[in-house]
Amino acid sequence: MAWYVSGLLMLLSILILMGIGLPIAFTFMAVSLFGAYVFMGGMFGLEQVVANASTAVSSFSLVPIPLFLLMGELFFHTGLAMRIFKSIDVLIGNMRGRLAYLSVISGTIFAMLSGSSMANTALLGGLLVPEMERQGYNRRIAIGPILGAGGLAMIIPPSALAVLLGSLAKIDIGALLIAGIVPGIVLAASYIAVIFAKIKFDPDCVPDVAPTSHSVKEKFQAIFLSLLPVSLIIMAVLGSLLGGFATPSEAAAIGAIAVFLLALSLGLVTLRVIAKSLIATVKVSAMILMIIVASSTFSQILAFSGISANVVNGTVSILDGQIAMMLGMLVVMVLLGMFMDQISMMLITIPIFIPIANTLGFDMVWFGIIMLLSLEVSLLTPPFGLALFVMLGVAPSGTTLGEIIAASLPYTACIFALIALVIVWPELATALPGLMM
């Protein structure tokens, strides 16, 4: 069977199984098992899949995933997220468009503690959009900043997706996590700039400043009882990574323990909270480990059948130069993002893109950041961007998908602008990991 026929059959099988609603992990596992049987010698191929599975999931580099997930689950289930949200609101005080700025600032801090874009979007959307609508905010400025800020968890550490990408693509996970700090902060700043510009040129999109009064005592409590302890946790996790004092696994353990101890000291820990956090962590971790098994097998089948080599050689011969190749891969990611979730995109593209990137001599940390940013774009691309539907689920009744898509456009443009900036100025992503090394 010709390699392109094999590749087309595998791709069609994936699309059909996903189309009928089979979960991602089971889809890729089914196709991988079939491919192993056909291309790797029948039962011998299936035995090889079993051998590869134990090797794939026993890697020490995967330890940060459940620990970062546990850190995020504790952060949300204990109510720490709400305390931080209210504390930031107290400190912002009287400011035109206060709630729009609050969504970006809160989303950035939540991203540094949870690593979950969907959870951030759902929490901020459920809390802020109805309140902004009640106060008279334009619907676009109520929804847009939350869509943008929710996606920051995909690039700012502790990003579970960054750990998964690093594991699948064999990129240094610690360097990849650190590399996301500066682009993430730049992206958050660009969102704030968009809000400022919109209010400047269209003052009627937000209501007049409502007088609020917070005592010095309330502000003191907001800083020293909520924000300072959380800031110390963030600095402990990121500082230990930046300083080279801890591996990603150790930094994740520090973060999970620190969040637990902070919640315990505030009386927010109960057996029910612990149970919910652990169950959610185990569910997601099990799904990710199964995806890793399927992905490693899928990559081997692509290599064994000759699909990877032929696609890499053909693509390199057609697209001449690093920039042209990068733009071609970005176009593919954007198109896939219109119809697929982030993990499916990674599983399909990594076996092809990583060999191409290695062939062309890309800095893999830099390339990983660009992939994460393109995955972040896919959260907001219609018709099936996940963040769009999460927002549709928590927004006030009467909100249409068209309104949500329109609200997301300026923030999607910010991500594209950042991708261009990282391509032109790679040091934006590589400087911090370089200092760490």
Side-chain angles (χ1 to χ4, degrees):
M1 188 184 295
W3 67 268
Y4 50 86
V5 176
S6 304
L8 184 60
L9 285 175
M10 292 180 69
L11 180 60
L12 287 175
S13 300
I14 290 170
L15 295 177
I16 290 170
L17 291 175
M18 290 177 60
I20 63 176
L22 195 67
I24 301 162
F26 293 112
T27 293
F28 277 88
M29 182 59 73
V31 174
S32 297
L33 290 173
F34 176 76
Y37 187 85
V38 172
F39 298 113
M40 297 174 69
M43 290 305 298
F44 173 78
L46 297 180
E47 291 171 2
Q48 189 63 37
V49 170
V50 175
N52 292 340
S54 61
T55 304
V57 298
S58 59
S59 172
F60 185 72
S61 63
L62 298 177
V63 173
I65 292 178
L67 291 174
F68 278 138
L69 288 172
L70 179 59
M71 177 179 168
E73 294 296 337
L74 286 170
F75 175 65
F76 284 112
H77 288 302
T78 57
L80 280 174
M82 283 299 301
R83 289 178 67 97
I84 294 169
F85 178 83
K86 292 176 180 177
S87 297
I88 296 171
D89 192 25
V90 167
L91 294 178
I92 289 178
N94 295 322
M95 179 186 293
R96 192 171 181 83
R98 173 177 61 90
L99 295 180
Y101 292 112
L102 175 63
S103 63
V104 175
I105 297 170
S106 301
T108 305
I109 294 177
F110 291 174
M112 294 179 180
L113 289 161
S114 74
S116 172
S117 296
M118 296 299 98
N120 287 354
T121 303
L123 177 67
L124 291 171
L127 287 173
L128 284 177
V129 175
E131 178 62 20
M132 283 197 263
E133 187 143 306
R134 187 187 68 80
Q135 292 188 19
Y137 281 73
N138 179 285
R139 188 166 283 179
R140 289 191 181 185
I141 203 169
I143 291 172
I146 296 172
L147 289 170
L152 289 173
M154 196 167 287
I155 186 170
I156 293 179
S159 167
L161 202 67
V163 177
L164 181 59
L165 175 62
S167 175
L168 295 177
K170 310 302 180 192
I171 302 172
D172 185 312
I173 294 174
L176 187 59
L177 287 170
I178 293 301
I181 295 175
V182 174
I185 293 173
V186 170
L187 192 57
S190 69
Y191 292 160
I192 290 176
V194 167
I195 296 170
F196 179 82
K198 187 165 182 60
I199 295 173
K200 183 76 173 177
F201 292 105
D202 183 16
D204 294 333
C205 70
V206 295
D208 293 331
V209 179
T212 57
S213 177
H214 296 287
S215 66
V216 174
K217 180 182 177 181
E218 287 177 310
K219 293 181 179 180
F220 181 88
Q221 290 175 335
I223 294 172
F224 290 98
L225 297 183
S226 295
L227 296 181
L228 184 59
V230 168
S231 300
L232 292 175
I233 293 174
I234 293 171
M235 286 189 289
V237 174
L238 300 185
S240 60
L241 281 173
L242 273 171
F245 305 120
T247 64
S249 302
E250 293 163 344
I254 291 170
I257 293 171
V259 170
F260 176 78
L261 291 177
L262 175 59
L264 187 64
S265 68
L266 295 172
L268 301 175
V269 176
T270 63
L271 288 177
R272 185 169 180 270
V273 164
I274 294 173
K276 288 176 68 176
S277 300
L278 289 175
I279 290 170
T281 301
V282 170
K283 284 182 178 179
V284 179
S285 298
M287 179 197 71
I288 289 175
L289 290 177
M290 189 170 180
I291 285 169
I292 290 171
V293 171
S295 174
S296 63
T297 307
F298 187 67
S299 299
Q300 282 192 330
I301 293 167
L302 291 181
F304 195 86
S305 62
I307 296 172
S308 295
N310 281 283
V311 170
V312 170
N313 293 334
T315 307
V316 170
S317 63
I318 294 172
L319 296 175
D320 185 26
Q322 291 185 336
I323 299 299
M325 185 64 69
M326 178 58 72
L327 292 176
M329 287 191 281
L330 282 173
V331 170
V332 171
M333 293 290 283
V334 170
L335 292 176
L336 289 177
M338 293 180 178
F339 306 100
M340 293 184 179
D341 63 274
Q342 290 68 46
I343 294 178
S344 298
M345 291 168 62
M346 286 171 57
L347 294 180
I348 289 175
T349 57
I350 283 175
I352 304 298
F353 285 3
I354 297 303
I356 292 175
N358 285 321
T359 300
L360 294 176
F362 287 162
D363 181 300
M364 294 310 295
V365 173
W366 169 79
F367 181 70
I369 290 299
I370 292 175
M371 278 203 73
L372 287 172
L373 286 170
S374 62
L375 290 170
E376 188 172 341
V377 169
S378 69
L379 287 172
L380 304 176
T381 49
F384 298 117
L386 290 180
L388 303 178
F389 288 96
V390 170
M391 179 59 71
L392 187 62
V394 299
S397 60
T399 304
T400 66
L401 185 60
E403 289 175 320
I404 294 173
I405 292 171
S408 72
L409 292 179
Y411 305 91
T412 307
C414 288
I415 305 174
F416 278 119
L418 180 59
I419 291 173
L421 187 59
V422 172
I423 291 175
V424 174
W425 187 23
E427 290 79 9
L428 196 66
T430 59
L432 269 185
L435 289 174
M436 183 185 73
M437 296 300 293

